[in-house]
Amino acid sequence: MSKRYIVSINQQEYEVLLLADNRVVVNGEELPYHVASRTHGELSLLLDGLSYEVHAADTSLDSQTNDVTFLLNGMEIRATVDDPSSLLLKTLLRTQHRSSGTRQLRAPMPGLVTKIEVQKGEVVQAGQGLIILEAMKMENEIRSPEPATIEEIHVNSGTAVEKGSLLITIRY
């Protein structure tokens, strides 16, 4: 099974498709790769016959922006890594109507609500988890896009939802 990502570095986007058996497709070009763990936070990457040393400069992924920072052969790289679900969620959040001070968070894909992590009236921080949505046997955490108060929860745990279904209304 392959995994698709959009990686942005210095305003340049790369479509990355990780395939089975150590192959990757970058912007349509298939390349062989191998990754070996060296020490904590350090990897050796062999990509299309070229060797790279990768060190996690910042091991945490910024959940709001999906930004990650690492050292590649000693040079600091900051990248944004998105999968189709996070790209869809970003698109949905950008198009929300905000004139009333509320925002409606909708399901980015069809799935099953497996857990509701907040309660009505709760104050949440940007990036805080709100709902776990299971889709295609993967758990996807829907997070608050900004500091807010939970105004209404429109689903229950165990509810099957369609793409675009209203999940939570927040007030910022």
Side-chain angles (χ1 to χ4, degrees), residues 107-147:
M109 66 198 79
L112 179 69
V113 176
T114 59
K115 185 176 180 185
I116 298 174
E117 300 179 307
V118 293
Q119 297 177 5
K120 183 177 179 177
E122 186 176 338
V123 175
V124 296
Q125 301 303 312
Q128 182 175 337
L130 305 175
I131 287 182
I132 302 291
L133 181 64
E134 183 181 303
M136 298 183 293
K137 297 183 181 182
M138 291 183 62
E139 289 189 340
N140 301 280
E141 187 170 40
I142 308 300
R143 298 174 180 263
S144 180
E146 58 198 329

Side-chain angles (χ1 to χ4, degrees), residues 67-133:
D67 287 349
V68 64
T69 303
F70 58 94
L71 297 175
L72 181 67
N73 289 346
M75 185 171 71
E76 185 173 283
I77 304 288
R78 184 172 177 97
T80 302
V81 181
D82 284 298
D83 62 14
S85 299
S86 65
L87 286 172
L88 179 59
L89 183 58
K90 284 180 179 181
T91 300
L92 289 172
L93 292 176
R94 274 195 300 268
T95 60
Q96 294 296 318
H97 182 65
R98 295 186 57 166
S99 63
S100 68
T102 62
R103 179 180 279 191
Q104 294 179 333
L105 302 180
R106 298 183 177 273
M109 66 198 79
L112 179 69
V113 176
T114 59
K115 185 176 180 185
I116 298 174
E117 300 179 307
V118 293
Q119 297 177 5
K120 183 177 179 177
E122 186 176 338
V123 175
V124 296
Q125 301 303 312
Q128 182 175 337
L130 305 175
I131 287 182
I132 302 291
L133 181 64

Side-chain angles (χ1 to χ4, degrees), residues 27 34 36 123 141 172:
N27 291 345
H34 179 75
V123 175
E141 187 170 40
Y172 57 92

